[in-house]
């Protein structure tokens, strides 16, 4: 016992947090279970084109999978809050895997309606592992400082899913066929889901009782403002992916398609490790605003229309600040979400980011032939998010990070 009679705060070093029971398993299982989010869209495009179908139809199926997964998040989050993780994510993971496996035996060119229905079903039933993990942290890591470290590590590593996933799907399809790529996608998602769902925290987790008098997520002005800001962050991420494709075509260097998003993901991973490495002054509101401002400023160098080498180096900068923004946003939601509604709130945030990413991708494609507007689009998305967040009023007794 200390001289003041207070128990010392739990250690917040990453290695200590990872050594806490269940943390490593939950992080690893969730990342593995979400790897199909990066594998499936690529595998679907390859499934169509390898059977003689058009790239346009393959892209449509890929977009359908992503949108079905994103749009169903709030419903799945509410079901998690009401019925627990095992009874919701378990069946969802099984249906998702079965749908992807069935697609391996369907000709998308000759059976387009069946393929479309299976893709919609698979996307809708992607298990809500990310929202579920956000809800678990308060029971696994009661200390806010430790939750910040775990969230930063999780957020920082997410970008790798969308770099490793497509590369893995493409490799499997080229070596063993598209059926093998889809089978591996299904197996990976199911294995990761079972790793999480069979853990004690997931099996025993129950949301607090909902207060009938409490407002819903969308009726809370602060949470609604946060939800309106997150699409700008997602748009910046979606836009830089398409900008990488445009850069590859402009400079006749196909590798830039993977190298630029890879550098952005590497910056995010490094930023997550740095943000979780030590306590930072201020509260979550301060971190959210400062992180978003830095994220916005970090996109400015792209307006110089850099060449391939500098472009790879420059996208590391916004990647560094992305985990600060996302981690602070979810910690803010943790504080503001109505009782018994945390998972649904997190699901709405995931949906907001997904809609922003899809919008940024679409706008990036429309501007791809215009170098300066295409390079400015990530900046515009980040600036829009900063503008919305800057109107946020401070709440009483803000949570401090330790």
């Amino acid at each position: 016992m200390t001289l003041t009679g207070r128990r010392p705060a739990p250690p917040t070093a990453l290695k200590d947090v990872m050594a806490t029971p269940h943390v490593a398993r939950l992080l690893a299982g969730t990342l593995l279970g979400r790897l199909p989010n990066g594998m499936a869209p690529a595998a679907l495009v390859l499934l169509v084109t390898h059977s003689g179908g058009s790239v346009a139809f393959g892209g449509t199926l890929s977009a359908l999978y992503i949108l079905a997964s994103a749009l169903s998040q709030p419903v799945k989050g509410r079901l998690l809050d009401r019925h627990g993780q095992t009874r919701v994510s378990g069946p969802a993971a099984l249906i998702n895997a079965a749908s992807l496996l069935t697609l391996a035996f369907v000709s998308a060119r000759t059976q387009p309606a069946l393929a479309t229905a299976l893709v919609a079903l698979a996307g809708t039933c992607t298990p809500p592992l990310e929202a579920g993990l956000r809800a678990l942290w308060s029971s696994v890591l009661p200390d806010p400082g430790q939750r910040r470290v775990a969230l930063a590590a999780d957020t920082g590593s997410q970008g790798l899913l969308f770099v490793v996933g497509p590369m893995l799907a493409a490799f499997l399809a080229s070596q063993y066929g598209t059926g093998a790529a889809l089978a591996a996608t299904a197996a990976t998602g199911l294995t990761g889901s079972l790793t999480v769902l069979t853990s004690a925290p997931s099996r025993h987790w129950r949301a607090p009782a909902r207060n009938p008098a409490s407002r819903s997520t969308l009726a809370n002005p602060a949470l609604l403002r946060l939800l309106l800001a997150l699409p700008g962050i997602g748009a910046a991420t979606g836009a830089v992916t398409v900008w990488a494709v445009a850069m590859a075509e402009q400079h006749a260097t196909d590798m830039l398609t993977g190298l630029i998003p890879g550098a952005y993901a590497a910056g995010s991973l490094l930023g997550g490790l740095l943000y979780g490495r030590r306590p930072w002054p201020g509260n979550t509101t301060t971190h959210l605003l400062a992180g978003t401002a830095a994220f916005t400023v970090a996109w400015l160098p792209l307006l110089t229309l850099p060449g391939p080498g500098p472009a790879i180096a420059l996208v590391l900068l916004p990647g560094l600040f992305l985990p600060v923004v996302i981690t602070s946003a979810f910690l803010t939601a943790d504080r503001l979400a109505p009782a018994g509604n945390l998972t649904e709130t997190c699901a709405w945030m995931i949906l907001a980011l997904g809609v922003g990413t899809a919008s940024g991708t679409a706008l990036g494609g429309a501007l791809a032939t215009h170098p300066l507007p295409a390079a400015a689009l990530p900046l515009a998305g980040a600036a829009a998010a900063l503008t919305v967040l800057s109107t946020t009023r401070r709440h009483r007794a803000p949570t401090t990070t330790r």
Side-chain angles (χ1 to χ4, degrees):
M1 181 178 293
T2 63
L3 294 176
T4 61
R6 293 182 178 179
R7 185 175 300 174
T12 56
L14 178 60
K15 64 177 182 179
D16 296 319
V17 173
M18 293 297 290
T20 303
H22 309 297
V23 170
R25 175 176 178 172
L26 291 173
L27 275 174
T30 300
L31 287 172
L32 184 64
R34 292 171 55 221
L35 186 59
N37 293 347
M39 294 178 66
L44 290 171
V45 174
L46 294 172
L47 174 71
V48 173
T49 56
H50 283 201
S51 64
S54 67
V55 176
F57 182 52
T60 299
L61 291 185
S62 177
L64 176 62
Y65 184 89
I66 296 170
L67 285 175
S69 176
L71 293 175
S72 61
Q73 284 289 335
V75 174
K76 291 181 287 193
R78 175 167 290 193
L79 290 174
L80 284 181
D81 283 330
R82 290 183 176 180
H83 303 293
Q85 299 194 357
T86 304
R87 294 172 63 184
V88 176
S89 293
L94 290 172
I95 296 172
N96 173 268
S99 301
L100 291 174
L101 281 174
T102 305
L103 274 167
F105 301 96
V106 171
S107 172
R109 183 174 63 85
T110 60
Q111 300 171 290
L114 178 58
T116 300
L118 286 170
V119 169
L121 180 62
T124 302
C125 292
T126 50
L129 297 177
E130 185 177 1
L133 181 64
R134 303 286 193 255
L136 286 176
W137 284 138
S138 58
S139 61
V140 177
L141 296 169
D143 178 69
Q146 290 190 325
R147 288 203 298 273
R148 177 180 60 82
V149 173
L151 266 170
D154 178 29
T155 302
S157 59
Q158 283 184 33
L160 296 177
L161 299 178
F162 299 97
V163 177
V164 175
M167 291 175 60
L168 181 58
F171 171 78
L172 291 171
S174 65
Q175 296 296 316
Y176 307 104
T178 55
L182 284 168
T185 302
T188 300
L190 190 58
T191 300
S193 298
L194 291 176
T195 300
V196 173
L197 297 175
T198 56
S199 68
S202 179
R203 286 186 289 108
H204 298 151
W205 179 84
R206 294 295 181 271
R210 297 172 68 98
N211 183 355
S214 65
R215 294 177 297 181
S216 68
T217 297
L218 298 181
N220 184 312
L223 282 173
L224 182 58
R225 198 173 289 116
L226 182 60
L227 290 173
L228 291 174
L230 288 177
I233 304 299
T237 299
V240 77
T241 302
V242 181
W243 182 70
V245 177
M247 286 284 290
E249 293 181 353
Q250 178 184 350
H251 296 279
T253 307
D254 291 341
M255 290 184 63
L256 290 176
T257 301
L259 287 176
I260 290 178
Y264 183 61
S268 177
L269 178 61
L270 179 59
L273 295 175
L274 291 174
Y275 184 53
R277 184 179 179 86
R278 57 177 292 271
W280 298 90
N283 53 58
T284 52
T285 300
T286 304
H287 292 188
L288 181 58
L289 288 171
T292 305
F295 182 71
T296 303
V297 172
W299 290 110
L300 282 170
L302 294 192
L303 299 182
T304 63
L305 301 180
I312 294 170
L314 288 174
V315 295
L316 283 165
L317 296 176
L320 284 172
F321 297 105
L322 181 63
V324 181
V325 177
I326 303 300
T327 300
S328 301
F330 277 99
L331 289 174
T332 300
D334 191 18
R335 176 167 57 89
L336 297 176
N341 201 30
L342 178 58
T343 311
E344 183 184 346
T345 299
C346 292
W348 275 109
M349 295 174 67
I350 296 166
L351 170 59
L353 286 166
V355 169
T357 302
S359 300
T361 302
L363 287 171
L367 298 173
T369 57
H370 306 280
L372 185 58
L377 188 55
L379 172 64
L386 180 60
T387 300
V388 174
L389 290 175
S390 297
T391 66
T392 302
R393 297 177 180 177
R394 292 183 178 274
H395 295 268
R396 296 177 183 177
T399 303
T400 58
T401 56
R402 290 178 282 175

